[in-house]
Amino acid sequence: AQSVTQLGSHVSVSEGALVLLRCNYSSSVPPYLFWYVQYPNQGLQLLLKYTSAATLVKGINGFEAEFKKSETSFHLTKPSAHMSDAAEYFCAVRTNNNNDMRFGAGTRLTVKP
Amino acid sequence: DGGITQSPKYLFRKEGQNVTLSCEQNLNHDAMYWYRQDPGQGLRLIYYSQIVNDFQKGDIAEGYSVSREKKESFPLTVTSAQKNPTAFYLCASSIQGLGSNQPQHFGDGTRLSIL
């Protein structure tokens, strides 16, 4: 069965600094990978998805993620953090022989002024 | 605008009471899902439905029940058998298709608390 691990339940960066949120997956078949963002008391909003077309995926709000098969990773990055990026971020995996999606435990991003 | 509507936003349950959380979508999606979110645990799947009149248990189905009589609607009932129901509940939907690479779309959630 597929699964994801998000390293670091809390990440704190200064405004303008690089954001790096880590996600490693486990899957015996080629995965589909997703990053979602959640603001307080709201649902999850899709940031970006990897579906085997291109290994570097660009998403909304300046975020991007790179699929690295050799490292089984799909880390989320943003060159320059903004205060509005403070939220919880979830990595998720789905495979082509399963209809459900598995989520990581989440990483809470804090942005300091 | 197409989307998923969850209601109510906040819900309180008394001991021994069943409560029902509403989820409606107008995205014409076949598949719908219910997740429970607790701090530090991410999302855990309660039930999912791939088509009308069919649904499957997820990882934590005990104490919950669902129905799928219409494509647009997937209500979740939290029964009195669920001894720790305090959580944030999220409903989602997606385009059906085994092996679909499409994402899930989420509602804004219902926060359930015990009185």
Side-chain angles (χ1 to χ4, degrees):
Chain A
Q2 69 274 22
S3 66
V4 291
T5 302
Q6 292 184 241
L7 285 173
S9 58
H10 291 89
V11 170
S12 181
V13 301
S14 297
E15 191 173 19
L18 171 72
V19 176
L20 171 61
L21 304 182
R22 299 177 188 274
C23 173
N24 288 88
Y25 70 90
S26 171
S27 176
S28 59
V29 297
Y32 303 128
L33 294 159
F34 307 84
W35 274 102
Y36 287 88
V37 61
Q38 184 182 34
Y39 298 100
N41 293 313
Q42 292 185 25
L44 276 65
Q45 178 184 0
L46 181 70
L47 276 176
L48 49 82
K49 65 178 182 179
Y50 166 75
T51 57
S52 77
T55 57
L56 182 62
V57 182
K58 295 188 183 297
I60 62 171
N61 302 339
F63 284 93
E64 63 181 36
E66 186 172 8
F67 173 71
K68 292 187 177 180
K69 184 178 179 180
S70 61
E71 299 177 9
T72 61
S73 69
F74 191 56
H75 302 331
L76 182 70
T77 60
K78 182 174 181 177
S80 177
H82 192 271
M83 297 296 290
S84 61
D85 294 327
E88 187 146 23
Y89 292 80
F90 292 92
C91 183
V93 64
R94 194 182 211 177
T95 61
N96 62 5
N97 59 359
N98 200 319
N99 199 40
D100 69 327
M101 189 174 290
R102 295 288 162 172
F103 289 83
T107 298
R108 183 168 299 279
L109 176 66
T110 301
V111 182
K112 299 175 291 184
Chain B
D1 284 342
I4 299 178
T5 301
Q6 289 188 241
S7 62
K9 193 165 180 65
Y10 299 95
L11 187 58
F12 299 90
R13 196 191 86 170
K14 296 179 182 179
E15 291 289 335
Q17 185 182 43
N18 293 353
V19 292
T20 297
L21 285 60
S22 171
C23 178
E24 303 278 332
Q25 56 101 356
N26 60 4
L27 298 167
N28 200 32
H29 287 170
D30 286 302
M32 296 187 74
Y33 312 80
W34 274 106
Y35 292 93
R36 171 178 170 140
Q37 186 177 20
D38 296 280
Q41 295 193 45
L43 278 68
R44 291 183 290 169
L45 185 64
I46 304 173
Y47 269 97
Y48 67 100
S49 168
Q50 299 185 50
I51 198 168
V52 174
N53 292 322
D54 185 54
F55 48 83
Q56 289 79 41
K57 292 182 178 180
D59 299 321
I60 56 165
E62 186 175 349
Y64 300 97
S65 66
V66 294
S67 63
R68 187 84 188 278
E69 298 176 0
K70 298 187 301 181
K71 186 176 185 177
E72 302 79 18
S73 179
F74 191 42
L76 173 74
T77 297
V78 184
T79 74
S80 57
Q82 172 51 245
K83 297 306 180 187
N84 183 25
T86 297
F88 191 51
Y89 291 86
L90 287 163
C91 179
S93 71
S94 68
I95 293 172
Q96 173 58 359
L98 198 65
S100 169
N101 61 11
Q102 295 302 309
Q104 292 181 358
H105 299 256
F106 285 82
D108 279 339
T110 293
R111 188 166 297 281
L112 176 62
S113 303
I114 291 291
L115 278 178

